[in-house]
Amino acid sequence: MIAFLSGTVHDLRENSVVLLVAGVGYELLCPASTLGRLTSGAPAELHTRLIVREDSMTLYGFLETDSLRLFDLLTGVSGVGPKLGLALLSAMPPSALAQGLLSGDTALLSSVSGVGKKTAERLVLELQNKVPEHLAAGVKAGGAAAVASTAGRDAVDALLALGFRDAQVRAAVAELLSQDGTLSADALIRRALGKLR
């Protein structure tokens, strides 16, 4: 099993990165959150998961162990493959995904492309009690219903009206409110726009 790879970013692609490690280029499929933080030519260390199928061997890479743990949990659910696991992790940060699972927010989960209502319900049912403790603690401290506050609702509505995707908007607002629950709707919108653009 390959636990992690440490090397130099050789090539950044749309859904993957080629990491040069001791003269060998490894291609790793990654969520958007990981790809967005990598720079061509810079050193990087990625936690990995190797998935072996009858016709392929695919490496998946993550900057944080939280993302890898959530990926393992997601792909352990019947009907959720690696592609859908990456889509969920690309649409929102691990803390927001954990919040959605813990609070049973099927609307947030099903707003991700490829996740239907039944799949969202299955994810909540199977994973609600399996979210890593430290992520669960962060969600409880931030309040699972943070986005349900008046300022949170107003900010979400305004950002959706601007054409941003539901999952991204809710994740950004939830993350901001978990950091500072006193933010006004205006402040939330301004800061969320910085994250979403």
Side-chain angles (χ1 to χ4, degrees):
M1 186 62 72
I2 302 170
F4 68 91
L5 288 171
S6 185
T8 304
V9 176
H10 181 72
D11 188 20
L12 281 169
R13 301 176 178 176
E14 187 178 347
N15 300 312
S16 65
V17 61
V18 175
L19 198 64
L20 184 62
V21 181
V24 179
Y26 292 90
E27 183 176 15
L28 300 98
L29 296 180
C30 304
S33 55
T34 291
L35 291 172
R37 291 167 53 196
L38 297 175
T39 306
S40 190
E45 182 173 288
L46 297 176
H47 304 280
T48 62
R49 181 63 65 233
L50 175 64
I51 296 184
V52 179
R53 297 265 165 86
E54 189 176 305
D55 58 346
S56 69
M57 291 174 56
T58 309
L59 265 174
Y60 296 86
F62 309 88
L63 277 173
E64 307 95 5
T65 54
D66 290 340
S67 295
L68 174 60
R69 287 182 190 137
L70 281 171
F71 179 76
D72 287 340
L73 287 172
L74 292 166
T75 55
V77 173
S78 174
V80 178
K83 185 177 179 182
L84 202 52
L86 282 186
L88 282 157
L89 286 163
S90 290
M92 61 192 89
S95 57
L97 181 54
Q99 177 173 324
L101 292 167
L102 282 170
S103 62
D105 191 346
T106 56
L108 173 68
L109 299 172
S110 61
S111 68
V112 176
S113 178
V115 180
K117 186 179 177 188
K118 287 184 179 179
T119 303
E121 289 170 352
R122 193 179 318 121
L123 284 166
V124 168
L125 181 68
E126 293 190 30
L127 301 182
Q128 204 163 25
N129 298 319
K130 295 182 181 177
V131 174
E133 282 298 315
H134 65 282
L135 280 179
V139 170
K140 286 172 189 162
V147 178
S149 71
T150 304
R153 276 196 311 271
D154 291 347
V156 167
D157 291 343
L159 291 163
L160 289 176
L162 291 172
F164 292 103
R165 289 190 7 221
D166 189 78
Q168 292 176 316
V169 166
R170 290 180 183 277
V173 172
E175 187 178 3
L176 289 168
L177 282 171
S178 69
Q179 294 165 359
D180 183 356
T182 64
L183 290 171
S184 67
D186 288 342
L188 284 168
I189 292 165
R190 280 196 306 277
R191 293 188 189 185
L193 282 171
K195 288 177 171 290
L196 294 167
R197 286 188 173 152

